[in-house]
Amino acid sequence: MIYGLGVDITEIARIQKAQAKRTDFAEKILTPAELLKFNSFAGKRAAEYLAGRFSVKEAYAKAYGTGLGEVGLQDVECLDNERGKPVITKHPFDGIAHVSISHTDALVMTEVILEVTQ
């Protein structure tokens, strides 16, 4: 049964500007495992990854029903599996979290579905 659905759209340029202003911005957003992956990218791909993970955390908090604040940025972790599919590997919900991430040149869109297991 679906517990919650969250959708988010984030401008990649906005995240790039935030990263340029605050050198610790990525560390604030990303878990250590996500940061390790982020540091393997450069340029546009790095910006897409950071914006995508930020957007996942926003969408997750919406699906959880609290928004960011009660769900912290470090509470949710999204890594890619061996086939490149994004998977939420750490989160506070006691159930299954499904995620999808899509990019255009300027935007990243994410969707998170929280499923109750019985």
Side-chain angles (χ1 to χ4, degrees), residues 31-77:
T31 66
E34 291 169 329
L35 190 60
L36 186 65
K37 185 68 174 175
F38 168 75
N39 287 331
S40 73
F41 298 125
K44 183 175 171 78
R45 182 62 190 116
E48 290 173 343
Y49 183 86
L50 184 57
R53 284 351 189 234
F54 177 79
S55 185
V56 164
K57 294 164 193 241
E58 285 272 7
Y60 182 95
K62 291 172 185 175
Y64 196 61
T66 62
L68 285 175
E70 191 170 318
V71 174
L73 296 168
Q74 297 291 316
D75 294 336
V76 179
E77 179 175 81

Side-chain angles (χ1 to χ4, degrees), residues 4-5 11 13 15 20 26-27 33-35 38 47 50-51 71 74-75 84-86 97-99 107 112 117:
L5 170 69
E11 294 177 22
I15 299 299
E27 289 86 359
E34 291 169 329
L35 190 60
F38 168 75
L50 184 57
V71 174
Q74 297 291 316
D75 294 336
K85 176 185 174 189
H98 304 275
V99 63
L107 302 169
V112 171
T117 57

Side-chain angles (χ1 to χ4, degrees), residues 70-106:
E70 191 170 318
V71 174
L73 296 168
Q74 297 291 316
D75 294 336
V76 179
E77 179 175 81
C78 182
L79 301 171
D80 295 339
N81 71 11
E82 64 280 349
R83 296 176 67 194
K85 176 185 174 189
V87 177
I88 295 178
T89 55
K90 175 184 141 186
H91 60 96
F93 180 67
D94 187 25
I96 300 170
H98 304 275
V99 63
S100 182
I101 306 172
S102 294
H103 298 87
T104 69
D105 283 340

